[in-house]
Amino acid sequence: MTKRNIIVAGTSAGGVQALCELTKNLPKDLDASIFVVMHIGSETMLPQILSHCGNVPAVIAEHGKAYERGCIYCAPPNCHLSIKDHMIVLTRGPRENGHRPAIDVLFRSAAREHRSKVVGVLLSGGRDDGSAGLYAIKARGGVAIVQDPAQAMAPDMPRNALKVVDVDFCLSVEQIAEVLVQLANGKAIDVAESPNGQKDIEDQATADQPTAEPPGHQIPLACPECNGPLYEAKSGELAHFQCFVGHRFSPESLSDQHAEALERALWTAARKLKERVVLHEQLAEKKRNKGEDELQKRLEESVATAREDLKLLREVLERI
């Protein structure tokens, strides 16, 4: 059987605990390369944590380095991690689902590069980053594994993947480790061919040389990240949204990102209203020229109106 020795794992909230449990149950001589994307801030101690609690050494991924078996490569902060031509590739590309690093970027690149040798593992996390990437892995003959949502600290990520991907295994983290060893040794069974198919799945040429316009049709919404035109398209049966420069969203993440963009716009409006109150109060404080009685009256009315509008705007912000 095929030795599935390219393992890509994605996680978010609750991910440190899940990854520690996973690596603790992997053997030191695991015949596979492991790549990990976890949604992180500006710094990460993930390699040190995984090396301490597990048996397989973990390092920060370095651009242009060849990857080896028996090592875990963790995405650095603010960089997408992908693989191409048996090398690690780090980029500052557009965010996907509001994240950089994004799980889907790693999963798609692994599926293009190694096809049936890839095992995608989706662990604890919120929203649905990773579902599209797991779909791409399965569509190219790889294996899809998710953590049992009932045992995940944040169950949304594995739960959403189960809705759209023909997952091979839904297991506890300890059981996932056992299956990974079997897959790496070519001894795993119960891996089904995916009914997802391979139609409309992005190929390497499309990834390297994007067209002048994203695939799909333009919709009357602006990208929440850059305010550029937004297009709706499908990869197989999975819908996604992509803007002119490459920001990419699932339906759920687009809704969440749009809400955040709306909140930013409303806070900007609130700031402008507060500035109007301060400015008109100062202008109305004393007469500067003769015959300004009418102006002073209008300024006082403007202050009262702006205060009322500011109150209403804050009520709107409370409901977002």
Side-chain angles (χ1 to χ4, degrees):
M1 294 181 67
T2 302
K3 285 192 173 185
R4 318 223 185 214
N5 45 29
I6 300 295
I7 299 170
V8 290
T11 186
S12 184
V16 173
Q17 178 180 338
L19 286 169
C20 281
E21 181 69 17
L22 180 68
T23 56
K24 182 178 70 175
N25 287 283
L26 293 175
K28 183 180 294 187
D29 59 348
L30 180 70
D31 187 27
S33 302
I34 304 176
F35 303 85
V36 173
V37 165
M38 180 175 174
H39 298 155
I40 51 179
S42 59
E43 296 182 2
T44 181
M45 295 291 290
L46 187 59
Q48 294 91 325
I49 293 171
L50 297 184
S51 294
H52 177 74
C53 66
N55 298 312
V56 183
V59 298
I60 281 285
E62 295 183 53
H63 181 71
K65 292 290 186 71
Y67 43 88
E68 302 174 354
R69 306 281 171 81
C71 187
I72 301 171
Y73 299 93
C74 301
N78 208 28
C79 283
H80 288 311
L81 168 62
S82 58
I83 53 180
K84 183 184 176 185
D85 298 330
H86 297 273
M87 306 286 282
I88 293 170
V89 179
L90 301 179
T91 61
R92 292 286 297 272
R95 297 178 191 275
E96 296 203 10
N97 295 321
H99 299 293
R100 187 174 60 220
I103 299 167
D104 284 334
V105 173
L106 171 62
F107 282 19
R108 287 198 309 268
S109 71
R112 288 191 299 263
E113 182 77 7
H114 292 288
R115 305 185 74 84
S116 63
K117 291 184 177 181
V118 179
V119 183
V121 181
L122 210 53
L123 301 172
S124 174
R127 296 186 183 177
D128 58 357
D129 189 26
S131 293
L134 203 62
Y135 185 99
I137 288 172
K138 191 62 181 168
R140 286 182 170 84
V143 177
I145 303 176
V146 298
Q147 182 180 3
D148 184 349
Q151 298 189 12
M153 187 177 296
D156 285 352
M157 194 176 286
R159 184 181 292 151
N160 282 318
L162 284 167
K163 294 176 183 177
V164 296
V165 182
D166 182 43
V167 170
D168 294 291
F169 301 96
C170 177
L171 305 166
S172 69
V173 175
E174 184 177 353
Q175 290 171 320
I176 290 174
E178 295 174 6
V179 171
L180 290 179
V181 174
Q182 294 172 11
L183 288 166
N185 293 333
K187 298 178 181 178
I189 57 173
D190 299 330
V191 177
E193 285 295 321
S194 172
N196 293 343
Q198 297 190 38
K199 289 186 177 180
D200 301 324
I201 297 293
E202 179 188 50
D203 59 19
Q204 187 63 55
T206 304
D208 290 343
Q209 299 177 342
T211 59
E213 193 172 51
H217 62 277
Q218 188 173 351
I219 62 175
L221 287 175
C223 172
E225 291 272 2
C226 66
N227 291 322
L230 200 62
Y231 298 76
E232 180 178 3
K234 275 195 170 184
S235 296
E237 296 300 316
L238 204 63
H240 71 271
F241 300 86
Q242 185 173 333
C243 81
F244 194 68
V245 299
H247 295 114
R248 194 164 175 158
F249 309 90
S250 68
E252 181 180 356
S253 65
L254 177 61
S255 175
D256 290 341
Q257 291 291 306
H258 187 271
E260 292 178 12
L262 174 60
E263 182 179 354
R264 289 195 298 270
L266 290 176
W267 279 116
T268 299
R271 175 175 59 82
K272 287 295 184 182
L273 283 171
K274 187 67 179 289
E275 289 173 352
R276 187 175 182 84
V277 170
V278 173
L279 172 63
H280 287 189
E281 280 182 336
Q282 291 180 351
L283 291 175
E285 200 171 75
K286 62 181 179 180
K287 293 181 181 179
R288 289 172 172 78
N289 301 298
K290 291 182 179 181
E292 285 190 344
D293 291 344
E294 184 63 29
L295 173 61
Q296 191 167 14
K297 182 180 178 181
R298 290 203 307 271
L299 290 171
E300 290 171 353
E301 289 174 351
S302 175
V303 168
T305 301
R307 287 187 184 279
E308 187 63 28
D309 290 345
L310 186 58
K311 179 181 177 182
L312 290 172
L313 193 54
R314 286 186 177 274
E315 290 175 0
V316 172
L317 281 161
E318 289 290 332
R319 295 197 296 269
I320 294 179

